[in-house]
Amino acid sequence: MPQSSQETPNNSYPGAPVRRLEDYGLLTGSAHFVDDLQLPGTLCAAFVRSPYAHALVNRTNTEEAAKAPGVVAVHTLPDLQPRLTDTRMATGLPSRSLRLDVKPGVLAGDEVVYAGEPVAVVIARSRYAAEDAADLVEVDYEPLDVVADCRSALHTDSSAVHRKLSHNMAAAFEFDYGNTEDAFRDADLAFRESFHLHRGGAHSIECRGAVARHDPATDHLTLWTSTQRPHGIKRVICDLLGRNDDSVRVIAPQVGGGFGPKLVCYPEEVVIALCATILQRPVKWIQDRYEYFLSTTQERDQYWDVEIALDSDATIRGMRGALLHDHGAYTARGLNVPYASGITLPLAYNIPAYHLDVYVALTNKVPVTPVRGAGQPQGVFVMERLLDRAAGKLSIDRAEVRRRNLVRKEQMPCRKSLRLRGDTEVILDSGDYPATQELALKHAGWDSFRERQQSALEQGRYIGIGLANFVEGTGRGPYETVTVRINASGNVAVASGATAMGQSTQTMLAQIVAEQLGGDPSRIGVTCGDTDATPLGFGGFNSRQTVIAGASAHAAARAVKAKAFKLASRLLEAAEHDLEIDGRAVFVKDAPDRRLTFAELARAASGLPGFKLPVADMGPGLEATESVIIDDMVYANGSAVAEVEVDIDTGRVTVLRFLVVHDCGRRLNPVIVDGQVLGGIAHGIGNALFEWMGFDEDAQPVTTTFADYLLVAADNMPEVRLFHLESDSPFNALGVKGVGESGCLPTPAAIVSAIEDALAPFGAKLNQAPLTPAVLWELIRSAPDSAPDTAPPGHWRAPDIDKDAYRQESLDGR
Amino acid sequence: MKYIEPASLPEALEILSADDEARCLAGGATLVAMLNADLVEPSTLIGLRRIDELAGISVSGDHIRIGATTTHAQIAGDDRLTGNAAVVRDAARQIAHSAIRNMGTIGGAVCHADPNADFPGALVAANAVLEAAGQSGRRQIPADEFFLDYLETSLEEDEILSAVMVPVEPVGARGRHLKFSRTHGDYATISISLVLAINSGACSHARVAVGSAGPAPVHLAEVDALLTGSDLSGETIKQAGQKLMEAADPVDDVRGSAEYRRMIIPGLLQRAVDELR
């Protein structure tokens, strides 16, 4: 069982482990997920998907499928095109670094570029009928050369992922500050390492799915979809279907996990919405797990080739190198994953000079978008492995090397020489990184580990310990709108563009509002993820909602409280500073009988026909809408220590103990924070040891069931201990930072560090993740024969790349 | 697709022999997943759950009879499976997860004959006999001769596996199914099924089979002979492991390369022996 210790107890509503508003529905099974929607007359959809990673589509024959029992319609892109303003979906973020404009299609046209790309849709009276008929759609494919590996994608003789393009360099950009040449020229120690980091999919329990309904009387289109970003989906649908904003409503019902991939708009969402308007019947599509493996975005491969320069006392002088990132076949979100990887490397430490060339390569695989952590775990991994290596070369303890380079408390707020993707500054807002590490070392018994290791070794057991620090950028702006209203019935209603996908967003917002209005958060109703309830919004990603939506909820609740006090002051004839609020009423502190309930106040504020409002300079109603603008991110940090045992007969790793000291500023609800961190750690353990999205040389996915693709289950979780520091952020009124992703940031780095420590007798050098038993066993077996400088598995040397040789091109020929 | 639930074995056999495309359904742990994935399309599914004589475990004389529709969970929980039969119980305990153990049956598992499954090796190590029922009567097939190839057994198309008979002898033996897998609940990367009897330091009975190591469990009479009568010294185990490794013919897959699977066999055999000693 995980243990958690609160270093800073706090009993006010924010800070208290209140029960989640979401619990009743989720624990009793009465919550509604998208597949629970049973609209009368609903038709079911199944998609025909490309079996090839790259092929021309010469001809599609839907006749047989259309005649199959129960089938209502079969559509290909040419059928839908007259009703679309464009055949491609603009779902990515803009960037000047993009060389190739490769937007995903609504359906594939004359070319398919990954196995699983949707080519046609079958709509039928039942799911069975739709799936059976999908098998009858005849597609004449002409296979083309496949780009299966991002390392060969940039070779000048590589075939193109898209036949219409001349190269595969989706983007090239760099991070650059300080003088790296000087840093390396005068260094006491400089060395170069390469890394191969693989992450798989996100694998939320609920796969994707959507239901659409069109109301002909009002020409309103409603789409319920399992998404992290209903507002983003609505934008794409309005644009592609040529609809005005008032005629489209997108709702995220209960979402059974997102973890990143549900933040982009997918072809199926557009097709389902369009088919509902064409057929004038509700249409439902529910993705199964096989389709999730094929067509839901993933994170996959990164290859790094990096050098670090240090003084003999382990002070870092600079770093330089290259990152090659597998982008997949389309730009579904943008460059945020490799950008986040590159920016994460120098965050936690003082690094005077940094240069990183980032190459983003197209491959004939499903597009890459963020998976929990969004490239940051890879950046942490590379940085932490380099520091371990430096420690070894300098014969200085691994923790000491870090101690000498961590950003110190007195440097806060610390302006880094880096820019975020939107060109805003990177300012580490608060935190005591060295103290965080010290606490982790203390709880882990770091100093006494060598004795434990020695006595284990005497029994033939190979145990090791590893450490990793991380700093995570959280709370991506610019805003999230929140409306707080006291209704005439006396209840408090909150609506936000924030979107819940299982991370207790409603409870978080309710706690913040309850702090201002008093009372029990469970009496507050919260509506999230509905574009009609809150027309402007962004949704859930980037560990942002507590920071961004939280700030607006805080401001809106304060505004409503001010209105309630102003009104009560007038009606009770008492000074505002003599009033108190308890979640149900406003009353006079010294005379609690002089009170007005929320219902009374709300009715008074809404006015009576022909009568003046009670307060002349206050508008009607007890309601406020706020969109607090936040440009700078806030930075959570933490230190993880892993203890592992390696079975040298098989290479199998057991994580014996794992602990994280975590600092996300003020914790609004410690139980929810623990849940988020633990979930992230589980994901990180998967990335360290298990999760592998395999493709063969034809870019065919080979791990498409959970029998092949391993996830961390409850029984693979080690004992985890969590400890918290609370360095309130000075950048927002609540002092909070995000927590949704942080657990997975240091976990692979700490575990691989520990494995390398356990296998020190074999001289193992570990520069990749995940590490399977077979890889480790091979290292153990070959140890006596291999030279100390043998390239480890996953070795990659950045080739000389002339960035200017890759032209700006577009699939549309623009 | 038709679904029929006959009440007796003769009735089930009649339906099966009348329809080439019919398949028997026991627990459905594997077959239903295969149906869902469109991997098999039988014309008729013959549900076996109403046939009483296929269910349950009984001890009679020199063997323990495990009916074909007995679930993994029932086998895992039955403390009569001791001595020579303990290896079968140990295998049942380690199959997948509890939900699957409550659903899957020994008959379904052995007839599916997935070489990565746990029962085939355990049944070979326990020297079990499989009872096949046909319209013309019943025949007994030693486990060694039952598993022919990937997903292929010596069962005839019109036969139904009715029971697995596990010998009680040798009574003093102990069994271990050592399953090495990437995570708990995964199929074995390699499994070692071992039955040993040790009398005053010397091995008086040994039978070992290796699973996930080829199209069928790897079992070598010469290895059993090498171990039997020996003192199970490290050197002997090493030799035995070497022979099994040489006989193994596993595949490359996500669980590991063929070479990796072969090479870890000796170490795992040593571990299985250590655990029984």
Side-chain angles (χ1 to χ4, degrees), chain A residues 571-792:
Chain A
L571 299 175
L572 293 171
E573 293 176 352
E576 283 186 40
H577 61 258
D578 288 333
L579 297 177
E580 262 187 20
I581 190 164
D582 69 356
R584 293 167 193 267
V586 176
F587 56 92
V588 180
K589 251 179 259 181
D590 300 328
D593 290 347
R594 290 172 60 201
R595 63 194 288 119
L596 286 165
T597 64
F598 278 7
E600 289 165 335
L601 285 167
R603 282 161 210 238
S606 53
L608 286 167
F611 291 82
K612 282 186 172 178
L613 284 168
V615 181
D617 59 346
M618 191 176 105
L622 289 179
E623 176 177 321
T625 297
E626 295 285 347
S627 302
V628 176
I629 308 294
I630 296 179
D631 293 327
D632 291 325
M633 295 183 83
V634 289
Y635 294 83
N637 73 288
S639 300
V641 178
E643 219 176 290
V644 306
E645 176 167 356
V646 185
D647 172 5
I648 62 157
D649 287 336
T650 60
R652 181 166 174 174
V653 174
T654 306
V655 181
L656 301 172
R657 303 203 299 162
F658 195 87
L659 75 83
V660 171
V661 179
H662 193 269
D663 189 342
C664 57
R666 182 184 180 206
R667 287 174 300 155
L668 297 184
N669 186 322
V671 174
I672 292 173
V673 167
D674 283 2
Q676 291 293 313
V677 178
L678 282 169
I681 290 169
H683 202 150
I685 291 172
N687 292 146
L689 299 172
F690 303 118
E691 296 191 43
W692 179 267
M693 184 63 218
F695 288 83
D696 68 14
E697 60 273 21
D698 296 320
Q700 287 290 335
V702 295
T703 52
T704 55
T705 72
F706 286 141
D708 300 318
Y709 184 102
L710 290 187
L711 284 179
V712 174
D715 47 14
N716 299 124
M717 280 293 281
E719 174 201 336
V720 176
R721 290 183 297 158
L722 301 181
F723 303 88
H724 297 280
L725 295 171
E726 299 196 64
S727 305
D728 291 5
S729 175
F731 288 4
N732 60 63
L734 292 166
V736 296
K737 306 177 182 187
V739 68
E741 299 167 277
S742 60
C744 69
L745 265 66
T747 304
I751 289 174
V752 172
S753 177
I755 297 170
E756 190 173 273
D757 186 46
L759 296 180
F762 301 93
K765 272 176 74 174
L766 303 175
N767 288 14
Q768 63 174 342
L771 283 168
T772 61
V775 166
L776 290 173
W777 185 82
E778 184 57 40
L779 282 169
I780 294 163
R781 188 182 68 141
S782 61
D785 311 324
S786 57
D789 287 325
T790 305

Side-chain angles (χ1 to χ4, degrees), chain A residues 464-485:
Chain A
I465 198 166
L467 165 70
N469 296 312
F470 74 94
V471 170
E472 185 200 2
T474 71
R476 181 91 62 189
Y479 68 89
E480 198 66 78
T481 304
V482 175
T483 299
V484 175
R485 184 173 59 246

Side-chain angles (χ1 to χ4, degrees), chain A residues 229-449:
Chain A
R229 230 165 47 94
H231 297 81
I233 310 293
K234 174 176 167 173
R235 182 77 271 127
V236 175
I237 285 178
C238 287
D239 290 349
L240 284 179
L241 272 53
R243 293 191 150 267
N244 71 51
D245 279 61
D246 297 333
S247 75
V248 176
R249 178 183 186 186
V250 177
I251 300 169
Q254 287 284 352
V255 173
F259 308 112
K262 288 183 185 170
L263 74 82
V264 295
C265 185
Y266 285 90
E268 295 92 346
E269 288 167 317
V270 177
V271 170
I272 294 303
L274 182 51
C275 287
T277 66
I278 295 172
L279 299 169
Q280 288 300 305
R281 294 266 297 270
V283 179
K284 176 187 272 191
W285 169 70
I286 300 298
Q287 187 183 44
D288 66 23
R289 185 62 62 180
Y290 178 64
E291 283 184 296
Y292 187 101
F293 274 106
L294 290 183
S295 69
T296 297
T297 57
Q298 311 166 348
E299 207 166 281
R300 289 202 306 272
D301 295 301
Q302 286 189 350
Y303 292 88
W304 295 71
D305 177 4
V306 209
E307 289 176 280
I308 185 168
L310 306 98
D311 289 331
S312 59
D313 68 354
T315 305
I316 301 170
R317 297 177 58 86
M319 298 172 66
R320 65 186 177 198
L323 160 61
L324 172 63
H325 175 82
D326 173 3
H327 191 64
Y330 293 115
T331 297
R333 178 59 171 168
L335 302 176
N336 51 337
V337 176
Y339 200 96
S341 299
I343 208 169
T344 297
L345 224 66
L347 276 188
Y349 301 97
N350 289 307
I351 296 171
Y354 179 53
H355 182 96
L356 186 73
D357 288 308
V358 182
Y359 306 114
V360 180
L362 293 184
T363 55
N364 286 114
K365 295 179 183 172
V366 65
V368 162
T369 70
V371 169
R372 192 181 208 164
Q376 298 171 101
Q378 295 93 318
V380 170
F381 188 95
V382 169
M383 187 68 222
E384 298 296 313
R385 301 305 301 127
L386 286 170
L387 291 176
D388 279 359
R389 241 356 95 60
K393 290 176 191 286
L394 293 167
S395 299
I396 299 175
D397 179 65
R398 287 172 290 169
E400 181 60 28
V401 168
R402 289 165 168 82
R403 210 175 273 136
R404 293 179 188 177
N405 290 287
L406 279 167
V407 171
R408 298 177 307 279
K409 190 182 180 187
E410 64 270 20
Q411 291 178 265
M412 300 293 179
C414 175
R415 191 178 303 265
K416 303 289 270 188
S417 306
L418 294 160
R419 310 290 285 186
L420 294 170
R421 68 180 188 226
D423 208 33
T424 53
E425 289 186 298
V426 175
I427 306 164
L428 304 176
D429 51 324
S430 66
D432 188 339
Y433 304 170
T436 309
Q437 173 175 305
E438 290 318 305
L439 198 56
L441 298 175
K442 185 189 91 181
H443 287 302
W446 179 269
D447 290 337
S448 62
F449 183 76

Side-chain angles (χ1 to χ4, degrees), chain A residues 446-462:
Chain A
W446 179 269
D447 290 337
S448 62
F449 183 76
R450 289 288 169 243
E451 288 159 41
R452 281 189 280 148
Q453 189 176 37
Q454 190 53 40
S455 59
L457 199 54
E458 280 157 18
Q459 300 160 29
R461 294 175 56 220
Y462 291 79

Side-chain angles (χ1 to χ4, degrees), chain A residues 44-77:
Chain A
C44 294
F47 285 84
V48 177
R49 296 179 185 278
S50 169
Y52 293 100
H54 194 196
L56 291 179
V57 179
N58 288 329
R59 201 176 54 85
T60 304
N61 182 346
T62 60
E63 268 175 46
E64 286 302 308
K67 281 188 275 184
V71 171
V72 176
V74 184
H75 291 308
T76 59
L77 187 64

Side-chain angles (χ1 to χ4, degrees), chain A residues 135 647 649-652 690 702-703 707-711 713 715-716 773-774 777-778 781, chain B residues 36 38 97 179-184 186-187 254-257 259-260 263-264 267-268 271:
Chain A
D135 287 344
D647 172 5
D649 287 336
T650 60
R652 181 166 174 174
F690 303 118
V702 295
T703 52
D708 300 318
Y709 184 102
L710 290 187
L711 284 179
D715 47 14
N716 299 124
W777 185 82
E778 184 57 40
R781 188 182 68 141
Chain B
N36 285 340
D38 278 346
H97 299 277
K179 177 176 182 174
F180 174 70
S181 57
R182 297 176 300 172
T183 64
H184 180 84
D186 189 18
Y187 283 104
V254 290
R255 289 173 186 84
S257 66
E259 194 205 1
Y260 168 68
M263 300 288 274
I264 62 174
L268 291 173
R271 189 165 299 177

